[in-house]
Amino acid sequence: MVTSVRHTVLCRHDGARWVVELPRLGVTARVERLSDVEAVAREQVAATTGEDPAACRVVVELARPTFAELAAVCAAAREDPDQVTVEAVTLRRGLAQGLCAEGLDVSDVAALLGLSYARAVQLVNERPQSALRGAGRLPPHLSRRAIPPSVEPSTVDPAAPAASSSDLTGVKPHDTYRHEAVHYRSAEELRAATVPFVREALALGQPVMVALVRERLERLRRELGADAARVTWVDMAQLGANPARIIPAWRAFIEKHDSRPVRGIGEPVWAGRRSVEVAECQLHEALLNLAVEPETPLWLRCPYDASALSADVLAEAARSHPVIVDGDSYRGSTSYGGVDHARNGFAGALPEPTTEVEGFSFDCTGLQRGAQQGRDVASVRRAVQERAAVAGLSPARRADVALAVTEAANNSLRHGGGRGTFRSWRDDDTLTFEVRDGGHITDLLVGRRQPPSSRPHGRGLWLLHQLSDLAQVRSSPDGTVVRVTCWV
């Protein structure tokens, strides 16, 4: 057996880019983002030594002195991806907030900790901030650092001009939840529906969070000019890659500002998203009407590109939004479905696969009865890892998806009658795993609330959404189905 060689990569920021050094090989490269370091290091190792870039061992260490102790703790956190104890959650929160305090953005924090972008966003916003000490496991000097208050840290420039309030005569801060679908057909119509909305909020002293895909986000940021520094910006393509992660981000934003009126712009559906992603975005939009209490002062606008999206998508938006804004038209939706619509969506059937399916039944006695007679959760985990490896997923992604599906299988044993059915199938660009059981989930927001760190159990479906490219949960009195989809 050939033992892989460990390659230590030293990484430092030179003010503009990340410098990647492999001292043992005498190789240096530069990358734009910290999240690209490992891939570039593997390419350099392969080019220099001929090793397989997917199999070689690469360990990234931050060479910046002020990061030394922090990087060591980050590495330890990455080495223990299955740990979901209170201490581990507290540690990761402290690490994420400490890294932001050191000047890194959320994407880099996610890369360092081996987390999804959405999970990093949530950790940066989690309370209490005193948890930065990480249950006594962080270096003492970090506990004295300031914690950044927003997803993308920014401070208001005292010299920046305040937003104009000359056109706010008679405008009162909203005191209830408003959830609106905004139709637009051009960049100018999107600007008209968003820029005045944001400027009015800033003039009223209301915090604003904007979650759009990068192109539209940057356009709006430019339009706002100096006022952009007073807005929290989030790339929806990263946060909403799995739509189940969006609600926790909005709830964190609301809670951070206590009971103050806040505004938001969020576009989870855009042209080009896969049909399975759009279906989950539509369920997310329906569940938003339950996730935020009616008396919560959040005014949320959800843009929909009426020139690029189908009539069916726009019709579904009308069922999940009480109000439709279209140019100068501001009207109540006559097809709004409210709680019943959300409940029906959560109980709906998922489409059957169109390719060959493999699978087996499992239960809590499978290990005792033997592999020929029964399967247990360990069999589910092995099957996921084997099929993910055949599909070409990286070791890190294989570990994530195996943990996610195992959590679903464990839920079947605990809440689904002690048994379940596992299935998997492969399409051209997706690998899907499914767990079915006879249980019935009545909490429509399961997995979409941040579990308190004081509760070490009941985190299975939360983890499922954090670890998956896309996760789908459907439940009715007939049973529950959980699907985890990987893009390959």
Side-chain angles (χ1 to χ4, degrees), residues 124-169:
V124 169
N125 279 279
E126 275 182 11
R127 293 182 174 184
Q129 293 182 348
S130 60
L132 179 59
R133 291 172 178 80
R137 296 171 63 185
L138 284 183
H141 71 277
L142 287 177
S143 65
R144 296 191 295 271
R145 295 186 180 275
I147 309 292
S150 63
V151 174
E152 187 169 302
S154 60
T155 56
V156 179
D157 181 358
S164 173
S165 58
S166 59
D167 58 347
L168 296 179
T169 303

Side-chain angles (χ1 to χ4, degrees), residues 117 212-214 234-242 267 270 273:
Y117 176 85
L212 300 171
V213 293
R214 179 63 62 178
V234 179
D235 185 347
M236 181 61 91
Q238 296 188 58
L239 173 65
N242 181 346
E267 186 177 18
W270 58 85
R273 295 209 79 169

Side-chain angles (χ1 to χ4, degrees), residues 417-440:
R419 60 180 58 121
T421 301
F422 167 78
R423 301 197 301 173
S424 69
W425 59 92
R426 169 78 185 270
D427 290 317
D428 290 339
D429 63 345
T430 61
L431 175 64
T432 304
F433 301 101
E434 178 188 272
V435 174
R436 287 180 179 265
D437 59 54
H440 181 203

